[in-house]
Amino acid sequence: MDFISNLPEPILHHIMSMLPDKDAAGTCVLSKSWYLTHSTFPILVFNESRFVKFNDKYNKNNFTTKRKQFYHYVDNTLLQFHIEDLSIQQLKLWLNLNDWIIKSRILPHIDFWIELARQGNVQVLDLTLHGIDNLQLNCIRYCIPSIVAQAKFLVKLSLDGCISLGEKFLSHPIEFSSLKVLNLAHVYFEDKRVFHNLLTSCRCIENINLSSCFGIDSVYIQGLSKLKEVKISGVITEIEIDALSLQSFQFSRGRADISNTIKIDKCTNLKELSLICFNITHQWVLQHYHLFTSIQTLELQYCCMPQRMNFYFPKLKVIKLQNCVRLGNAYIDAARLYQCSFIYCIVSNMLPIVSFVNCSTQLEISVKLSIQGDHFTFDYCKLKKFFLALQCRNISANISLWNIQKDENLLHNSSNHPPLLKHLHLDFLLENEVSFSHVTSLLWSCHPSIITCRLSNRKLIKVLCETLMNGKECFCSSRDIKCWWHDLKDVKITCPSLFDGNEICFDCKTLLEALPPFIRGDATFTFE
Amino acid sequence: MAEKASESSNSISLNTVDGKIFKVSPTIANQMQTIQSLIKAYDSSRVISLPHVNAFHLSKIIEYLEGKSATTVSAVKEFEAQFMKDLSLKQLKGLLIAVGYLKVNELLELMPKTVAKLIENKSVEFLRKFFGIVNDFTPSEEAKIREEIAWAFDGVDED
């Protein structure tokens, strides 16, 4: 009995829409009824690299034949839909444009395909033209035909690659009244008014994603009452958005030598804010301070920030700080915060001292530090201050060290405070830099209850084990302090290849002896 | 208590094709779009008959709508996985038709996704055997179609 074939066609199409393009196309070989079902499947995906493989270009004949086969296949499929007057829900064209000759041959084809799709009332149009030079301003580009502007049923338009939008879009009326999603990447605008003309015609637009486009340097958005999400990256110097409905805004600066202004102070319902490489000034913070009452997710990467910051985020849930410079001290009042992450690739003096006021016991902080010594001696006191200021029970840290200075005077006494971290994953990228004094200083500044490290980090394991077994010169006899190695509870090895992922308990002595070379897995040292 | 009583007095009666009557709360009924529009069209006291749905399928749909109101995301996922696992292929097909007719949006997402997972990255031979699809092509017809879409058969698992 056939368990699937005589399901109603819309359901079969729905199932096919959830398959990768290969599997969806493959169904047409199953039986005659599946062939028919497939022939009306309204999601058309044409991916040239499925036909023409990278290696084919070394064999010119083969290459040309395969290309022709591909064009022929697209032509035939689209014509079939046109002749039978079938609607086309989605047309996705992913093409490679690598040289002049190919470009001049393929461009007229694309016009034809797009026109057929438009007549089939296409709702989703996704055109990606990969070229090796599509990051260059002056690469050969495909000019979107003005007929596209009359695709009334278009809901989503994605253009990526060697594509330009010409001046004809200034004189032609654009009828994108149903358009909700607009993704433009690497697209060249012949005139900056084209972009604004385009935007003002999209009355229903919800998502705008503008990535590394050429020919526009400013974005002004106003009067789009359904706008929810805006993502902008690239060389855009001025952004101004006035949309009460906006929920998510992301900006990423394309070039370090260009300064930008962002004005989003009227978007008072903003929930997600992500700024990458943006210069956050005091003035900007003051101008946008009222937005912080609605923000739930905040992400700041490579931003230049004021020295001191004092934030009140009543609704903030997630915050991510990555390599932001100049920030010295920050006080964050966020009672609902439950997830916080710091990612810093640093010399120690860049690490900000962040304190959370009113934070909940649910708060989990993850810290990823990549410490590079270079010309500086790493400041373990600063690291300790950083962890002390966080005052959180749920900190897990991943610290990797590289190129650190050999300084045997680093030893710090371990004071007898409760662990600052729940979990520390330690990684010395250069084996020969592992030393007792560095490990001791590091553990003094972090004081974790669990240390893990890669089993391949043999020297680190050796230093840990030897210290744990023999102890060293002790500091804890006289004063109210305690050395880190007194508290060891047990040592475990997790190693998928050797022990089937089972955890095996070792004591230090057997661990040192049993450790085979070149082995994947972690060693875990648990302290009381 | 009072709230419960008013809910039961509001409950909607559904009559399946095999003559079984189900009483469901308005919140459950409204998640089936077809029924939602029928409630609007008739007055709510009437029994709504569903000529295309049998008792087993309706009970499964109700089971799903009641079960997926679990509190956490992971609990819902677990419930959905178990719900789909308990269905035989034959039941899956019948239920899909019922779900399509009643327009239960969440199941209309979940069930095709499950079927798609069964199809993904499988060979033609495997799919025919698995779903009991009879190949009514002649060998030469099949060879021709395979050639037309040769690109789709790059690197598919053989089992």
Side-chain angles (χ1 to χ4, degrees), chain A residues 293-313:
Chain A
T293 48
S294 65
I295 283 177
Q296 295 177 5
T297 306
L298 178 67
E299 183 179 10
L300 303 174
Q301 291 181 34
Y302 301 92
C303 287
C304 188
M305 295 170 73
Q307 182 80 33
R308 293 178 69 85
M309 296 195 88
N310 226 326
F311 285 124
Y312 172 55
F313 289 112

Side-chain angles (χ1 to χ4, degrees), chain A residues 359-470:
Chain A
C359 75
S360 96
T361 50
Q362 307 272 307
L363 179 63
E364 276 181 34
I365 300 181
S366 88
V367 179
K368 201 171 174 187
L369 301 179
S370 157
I371 297 169
Q372 218 193 96
D374 273 338
H375 309 296
F376 304 93
T377 311
F378 184 72
D379 185 354
Y380 289 101
C381 293
K382 183 77 186 269
L383 189 62
K384 183 162 190 161
K385 270 189 203 157
F386 168 76
F387 283 118
L388 273 173
L390 289 177
Q391 284 190 355
C392 172
R393 297 190 160 273
N394 279 319
I395 305 180
S396 31
N398 193 326
I399 300 184
S400 59
L401 300 101
W402 182 59
N403 208 2
I404 43 174
Q405 298 287 303
K406 278 209 172 101
D407 185 349
E408 291 302 322
N409 301 322
L410 284 171
L411 285 180
H412 294 83
N413 293 352
S414 302
S415 52
N416 192 16
H417 54 71
L420 288 171
L421 267 70
K422 200 169 68 177
H423 178 190
L424 168 69
H425 184 85
L426 202 53
D427 202 352
F428 280 83
L429 297 180
L430 295 173
E431 280 263 292
N432 58 6
E433 287 182 348
V434 184
S435 72
F436 171 72
S437 67
H438 271 303
V439 172
T440 302
S441 301
L442 197 64
L443 295 182
W444 168 79
S445 54
C446 315
H447 197 179
S449 20
I450 292 175
I451 307 174
T452 58
C453 65
R454 287 182 293 124
L455 282 176
S456 54
N457 225 319
R458 297 174 70 85
K459 185 136 182 237
L460 177 59
I461 293 180
K462 199 161 167 246
V463 167
L464 285 170
C465 285
E466 279 175 0
T467 315
L468 290 168
M469 273 194 296
N470 309 326

Side-chain angles (χ1 to χ4, degrees), chain A residues 342-358:
Chain A
F342 293 90
I343 301 175
Y344 271 81
C345 176
I346 48 157
V347 287
S348 59
N349 52 0
M350 271 173 63
L351 207 57
I353 303 297
V354 178
S355 316
F356 291 106
V357 188
N358 287 324

Side-chain angles (χ1 to χ4, degrees), chain A residues 2 11 28 34 120 128 167 188-189 224 279 322 329 336 358 384 425-426 437 447 450-451 473:
Chain A
D2 191 330
I11 291 183
C28 72
W34 275 91
T128 301
E167 281 169 356
Y188 173 68
F189 292 92
L224 299 176
N279 185 5
Q322 183 172 354
N329 289 65
R336 295 200 185 171
N358 287 324
K384 183 162 190 161
H425 184 85
L426 202 53
S437 67
H447 197 179
I450 292 175
I451 307 174
E473 187 194 342

Side-chain angles (χ1 to χ4, degrees), chain B residues 4-158:
Chain B
K4 226 174 180 175
S6 74
E7 209 177 276
S8 69
S9 70
N10 275 341
S11 75
I12 288 142
S13 303
L14 304 172
N15 188 7
T16 58
V17 65
D18 40 357
K20 211 167 159 213
I21 291 186
F22 287 78
K23 281 191 185 247
V24 295
S25 69
T27 35
I28 296 284
N30 281 330
Q31 291 179 72
M32 307 182 221
Q33 268 186 33
T34 305
I35 293 179
Q36 195 185 21
S37 49
L38 284 173
I39 298 171
K40 277 182 194 153
Y42 304 115
D43 70 285
S44 58
S45 58
R46 233 177 85 173
V47 176
I48 297 172
S49 53
L50 303 168
H52 300 291
V53 183
N54 70 26
F56 172 74
H57 296 141
L58 188 59
S59 69
K60 271 288 174 192
I61 292 170
I62 294 169
E63 179 193 323
Y64 174 81
L65 290 175
E66 281 170 353
K68 61 116 196 160
S69 54
T71 44
T72 62
V73 178
S74 62
V76 172
K77 280 228 163 97
E78 211 171 283
F79 166 77
E80 286 185 336
Q82 191 58 45
F83 180 83
M84 292 309 299
K85 226 171 114 189
D86 289 344
L87 292 168
S88 71
L89 269 185
K90 191 182 166 192
Q91 290 168 343
L92 190 72
K93 180 181 154 190
L95 190 57
L96 245 176
I97 295 174
V99 162
Y101 168 71
L102 291 174
K103 294 190 186 138
V104 188
N105 285 337
E106 274 150 321
L107 278 172
L108 269 178
E109 278 303 300
L110 176 68
M111 296 186 68
K113 207 179 265 171
T114 313
V115 180
K117 277 273 170 291
L118 295 171
I119 297 176
E120 201 175 316
N121 218 14
K122 301 292 192 311
S123 71
V124 172
E125 292 70 26
F126 175 87
L127 290 175
R128 282 181 188 146
K129 212 171 131 195
F130 186 79
F131 289 108
I133 300 165
V134 179
N135 176 17
D136 47 5
F137 288 119
T138 65
S140 66
E141 280 173 336
E142 184 177 333
K144 195 172 158 261
I145 297 165
R146 274 181 186 265
E147 205 192 305
E148 270 173 32
I149 53 151
W151 61 272
F153 295 110
D154 253 13
V156 176
D157 286 356
E158 276 316 304

